[in-house]
Amino acid sequence: MNSKTYISLLLVLVSLVWAGSFVAVRITVEEISSIDLGFLRFLVATPFMVLILLLSKKETRLPVKDFLSLSVLGLTGVTLLYIFQFIGIEQTTASTAAVLINTNVIFVVILSATFLKENFSFKKALGIALSFFGVLVVIFAQMTNESIVFSNVFLIGCIFMVLSALCWAVYSIVGKKLLDKYDPFTVTTYAFILGTIFFLPVVLPDITDTIQNISFNGWISILYLALICSVFGYVAWYYALSKIEAGRAVIFLNLIPLFTIVISFFTGEVPTFLFLIGASLIIYGVYLTQKN
């Protein structure tokens, strides 16, 4: 297996894992508040990241001059990202949230072309456009299976999801620059530590009571979000970013809403013809974006 194929398969797996997180969060926020769930995700994940970093014997010290950039990663990739995202999921639906988070494709491509001077070819633009249009088609095809009320609460939830997408784009671009100098696992670990610390002022008043009342299923969800979505997902994402352009990697995130809806099929939903058209557009868009 060549390197390009390996990275592509890795990004597909990351998208599948993160798709599962939308379903897990949508269920768990009925028991745990959005902000507390975001904090607990990283409270569990961060010690594992630190332990793995120490065992790997990688360089653990980063220059003080990069502390500001690392703080931006903590805020945009952990604290604000998940405050916005989990509130957005709570106020909308799993599939609606999954498509709105994909506006990060637009933000990443614009920011990478502006700040990283990455190439923005016609073929890449066409691939992104087709893939994102495919996402919209897939969501439209599923709207008949969901009860969506376009209330003020719903619209506010949508705005939070777009803000979450912008946070992820900033996180990816700032992180991409740091990857030119440092190991991806080290950078990610520092982002987790700082992001978890930035959560504290918001969650300290009631987090003890929340922890005492979490059910067994709640803990299973937290462990999935922490270990699979955060530890594995973030490390794999940054590893991929260290190997290929940010604009090329981010197109794989368009698979997330597709996978989110596919997961829901296990509850008895059947794919429509329109859904299959949207899925084909997403896959072809990913293919086009990977072509030189």
Side-chain angles (χ1 to χ4, degrees):
M1 183 185 298
N2 61 43
S3 176
K4 188 174 181 179
T5 302
Y6 172 74
I7 294 298
S8 296
L9 290 176
L10 182 63
L11 287 170
V12 169
L13 181 57
V14 169
S15 297
L16 177 59
V17 163
W18 284 343
S21 74
F22 284 90
V23 179
V25 170
R26 191 69 186 88
I27 295 171
T28 311
V29 290
E30 297 179 4
E31 174 186 347
I32 306 170
S33 75
S34 305
I35 295 175
D36 287 346
L37 180 59
F39 171 69
L40 290 171
R41 170 177 179 165
F42 288 94
L43 183 66
V44 173
T46 300
F48 280 91
M49 293 289 287
V50 172
L51 178 61
I52 295 170
L53 178 62
L54 294 175
L55 292 176
S56 68
K57 298 181 180 179
K58 297 179 183 291
E59 178 59 54
T60 58
R61 292 177 297 178
L62 297 182
V64 175
K65 64 183 177 66
D66 288 318
F67 180 77
L68 179 59
S69 294
L70 291 168
S71 296
V72 171
L73 293 189
L75 276 173
T76 59
V78 176
T79 315
L80 295 178
L81 174 70
Y82 287 101
I83 288 176
F84 293 155
Q85 185 178 123
F86 286 7
I87 291 176
I89 295 172
E90 184 177 17
Q91 304 300 335
T92 58
T93 65
S95 59
T96 301
V99 68
L100 290 177
I101 198 67
N102 274 268
T103 54
N104 62 39
V105 175
I106 299 170
F107 294 134
V108 168
V109 170
I110 292 172
L111 293 177
S112 62
T114 303
F115 296 104
L116 302 181
K117 309 303 180 184
E118 290 187 358
N119 179 45
F120 190 72
S121 65
F122 173 76
K123 188 173 289 186
K124 181 180 291 187
L126 179 61
I128 290 171
L130 283 176
S131 190
F132 191 70
F133 180 69
V135 168
L136 297 178
V137 172
V138 166
I139 294 301
F140 178 77
Q142 294 303 307
M143 286 183 69
T144 55
N145 297 325
E146 296 181 326
S147 178
I148 300 176
V149 179
F150 290 93
S151 63
N152 289 336
V153 172
F154 182 87
L155 292 176
I156 290 171
C158 291
I159 292 171
F160 272 113
M161 289 309 304
V162 173
L163 288 174
S164 176
L166 178 58
C167 284
W168 179 257
V170 174
Y171 174 81
S172 298
I173 299 304
V174 175
K176 179 73 172 174
K177 287 196 169 186
L178 287 175
L179 289 179
D180 292 337
K181 300 183 288 184
Y182 309 118
D183 175 76
F185 198 93
T186 304
V187 170
T188 306
T189 302
Y190 270 89
F192 275 35
I193 293 170
L194 291 170
T196 304
I197 292 172
F198 294 148
F199 256 116
L200 290 176
V202 184
V203 301
L204 278 180
D206 62 356
I207 194 62
T208 301
D209 291 338
T210 298
I211 292 174
Q212 291 175 345
N213 294 295
I214 297 175
S215 68
F216 176 77
N217 288 339
W219 280 115
I220 293 298
S221 180
I222 290 169
L223 290 174
Y224 173 76
L225 293 170
L227 303 183
I228 307 300
C229 298
S230 295
V231 177
F232 166 74
Y234 271 65
V235 173
W237 171 255
Y238 259 156
Y239 175 78
L241 276 184
S242 70
K243 301 297 182 181
I244 63 175
E245 293 180 351
R248 182 170 288 186
V250 77
I251 193 65
F252 280 91
L253 299 184
N254 272 331
L255 294 171
I256 292 176
L258 171 62
F259 286 145
T260 301
I261 295 172
V262 168
I263 292 171
S264 72
F265 292 162
F266 289 99
T267 64
E269 294 181 6
V270 178
T272 63
F273 179 69
L274 189 58
F275 171 86
L276 296 177
I277 291 176
S280 299
L281 286 171
I282 293 172
I283 294 170
Y284 186 62
V286 169
Y287 170 75
L288 275 183
T289 309
Q290 299 309 297
K291 300 290 287 184
N292 293 324

